[in-house]
Amino acid sequence: MNDIIIRSSTEEDIGGITDLFLPRKRDSEIFKWVISDGNENFRSLVAECENQIVGHIAYVSTEYAYEGKQYTGVFTIEWMVDPKFSGQAGLKLFSKVLKIGDFTFIIGGTKVVNQIYPLLKFGQPLNVLKFLKVTKPLKYFEALDNKIWKRFAKTIYYARHSIFSKHYPTNSEITLCPLKQGHKIVGESDPSTVVNSCKEDHLDWLLKAPGVNVHSFTVKRSKIPIGTAICYTQSVQNVTSGRIVYLSLLPKENAIWDRVVQSLEEFLMNQGCCVITTLASYPPFIDVLKTRGHVITHELPFWLKDRKKLFLDASWHLTYLEGDLDYRGLHLTDFVQEEAGRNAE
């Protein structure tokens, strides 16, 4: 077998890369955004043999703050290899990415790759919790593509807070103001917690996400900025879904976390969202989501390769901001799907 060459991807490679994913069809424009750095460069590598693309891996490189220092974290995405070359190309691609940045991590993964990560000396220091809250029970019920008894059971389970609990008054001290172009991310610092710094280039990439509506906010308390939030909404066949993509660290007062989450919920409901999804690992955020009726749907493993032993005692504030998780699965898989939606990302 001829040698496999690992090289950076180019736009001319997109067709060959997306062919690796067949029969799953990929929208080429969305795929180009996923692997881009927000400009005209790709964070992507291909494995090539005899002028044919036989493997691909991409990554998202982001700055993280911890103990007063900045570290580069690399989140691997879109790892796919032609089965005939899996042994050679797969390991070469992954090994190349592992050398980028100060640490490498993945959230979630298939059963197969979750068996591979420990062999590559990834640890699993925690699970990241995936939450769902139904805000419009009737609309959610109508959107489900299940037998009627299952639709009824799912609606009651995920909407029980909305159906049976009282609604809290809005705290007038907390307001959401549109994040203006050029404004920096605002948030609390916690030396003991690893936090995505969401630098300007990463924020710009997030705000260009295709196929969704992006809503970014500065969170203010009595007109003083205390945090930043990013939400996505998406409408498919007259069903609107919402997501809290990112909420920065806030002051360590449960009442503040509660009022900010409440304000985000109300905004998303006003956008017509019948369901809200959120990802969280930071205990104060998790506690408020549970209190406000967000139900845990998955516990996703957090795989970490910490070669320099930087984060042995760290806690983590992880959200949908990490990697390319932000736009994925916004329209739920058990909702009625458009035919075009089945073939997209």
Side-chain angles (χ1 to χ4, degrees):
M1 185 179 293
N2 291 341
D3 288 341
I4 292 175
I5 299 171
I6 306 297
R7 62 172 176 79
S8 297
S9 304
T10 67
E11 187 160 357
E12 289 72 28
D13 296 324
I14 296 298
I17 295 171
T18 54
D19 284 348
L20 291 171
F21 292 85
L22 292 174
R24 179 189 173 198
K25 295 182 180 179
R26 305 299 297 270
D27 182 293
S28 61
E29 290 305 310
I30 293 178
F31 191 81
K32 282 193 285 187
W33 168 78
V34 170
I35 66 173
S36 76
D37 62 0
N39 298 306
E40 297 181 357
N41 302 312
F42 290 148
R43 301 176 289 202
S44 169
L45 302 170
V46 293
E48 187 178 66
C49 183
E50 296 182 337
N51 296 318
Q52 179 184 356
I53 293 174
V54 298
H56 173 263
I57 194 169
Y59 59 92
V60 177
S61 177
T62 318
E63 296 299 306
Y64 288 80
Y66 177 60
E67 293 187 335
K69 298 180 181 179
Q70 293 286 324
Y71 299 99
T72 301
V74 175
F75 189 107
T76 58
I77 61 175
E78 305 293 358
W79 188 20
M80 183 64 69
V81 180
D82 185 319
K84 298 191 293 292
F85 298 87
S86 58
Q88 285 183 299
L91 188 56
K92 280 188 174 183
L93 285 166
F94 205 85
S95 297
K96 193 83 171 177
V97 172
L98 290 181
K99 297 175 182 177
I100 302 172
D102 298 303
F103 67 99
T104 309
F105 70 106
I106 302 100
I107 297 175
T110 65
K111 290 183 179 180
V112 173
V113 297
N114 283 343
Q115 294 173 347
I116 294 174
Y117 294 142
L119 301 177
L120 297 174
K121 298 183 178 180
F122 278 75
Q124 188 190 336
L126 56 94
N127 287 324
V128 185
L129 303 183
K130 187 175 180 180
F131 288 88
L132 183 150
K133 180 176 181 177
V134 170
T135 54
K136 297 181 183 294
L138 180 58
K139 191 68 176 179
Y140 176 81
F141 177 85
E142 293 172 344
L144 290 172
D145 189 17
N146 302 114
K147 293 181 178 179
I148 191 165
W149 67 267
K150 192 169 185 178
R151 292 162 61 192
F152 182 77
K154 287 173 72 71
T155 302
I156 292 295
Y157 182 75
Y158 288 118
R160 59 188 185 274
H161 183 275
S162 300
I163 295 173
F164 299 115
S165 297
K166 65 180 181 180
H167 294 277
Y168 297 92
T170 301
N171 186 326
S172 59
E173 289 187 340
I174 300 296
T175 55
L176 302 177
C177 302
L179 181 66
K180 297 181 180 179
Q181 187 173 6
H183 281 207
K184 294 182 179 180
I185 293 289
V186 178
E188 290 285 299
S189 61
D190 181 351
S192 67
T193 303
V194 185
V195 180
N196 193 322
S197 298
C198 197
K199 295 293 182 65
E200 185 177 346
D201 57 344
H202 189 60
L203 176 62
D204 186 58
W205 179 70
L206 289 167
L207 299 182
K208 293 178 180 176
V212 300
N213 298 308
V214 182
H215 313 274
S216 55
F217 307 98
T218 296
V219 180
K220 293 185 178 182
R221 181 189 189 189
S222 299
K223 300 183 180 181
I224 298 174
I226 61 170
T228 304
I230 300 172
C231 296
Y232 287 175
T233 59
Q234 184 181 50
S235 296
V236 178
Q237 288 192 333
N238 202 33
V239 176
T240 302
S241 304
R243 171 166 291 167
I244 301 174
V245 173
Y246 173 65
L247 179 57
S248 65
L249 284 184
L250 299 170
K252 290 183 177 179
E253 299 174 40
N254 285 345
I256 292 179
W257 282 87
D258 182 82
R259 296 305 181 236
V260 173
V261 172
Q262 178 188 1
S263 296
L264 292 172
E265 290 175 355
E266 290 176 349
F267 171 82
L268 291 171
M269 289 177 66
N270 288 336
Q271 296 297 307
C273 296
C274 70
V275 64
I276 299 171
T277 50
T278 316
L279 203 66
S281 67
Y282 189 60
F285 194 16
I286 289 171
D287 290 345
V288 165
L289 289 170
K290 289 180 177 178
T291 299
R292 297 200 58 79
H294 295 249
V295 179
I296 298 171
T297 61
H298 298 85
E299 294 188 12
L300 305 176
F302 173 64
W303 297 105
L304 173 67
K305 190 171 181 67
D306 181 14
R307 301 181 302 276
K308 302 177 182 179
K309 310 295 184 185
L310 299 169
F311 310 113
L312 295 179
D313 300 315
S315 61
W316 294 77
H317 178 43
L318 300 165
T319 66
Y320 273 116
L321 191 69
E322 323 310 331
D324 67 336
L325 300 177
D326 49 350
Y327 80 104
R328 292 188 177 278
L330 185 50
H331 187 75
L332 302 184
T333 55
D334 55 356
F335 280 174
V336 176
Q337 302 287 316
E338 286 183 317
E339 189 60 33
R342 294 179 187 272
N343 298 328
E345 293 296 306

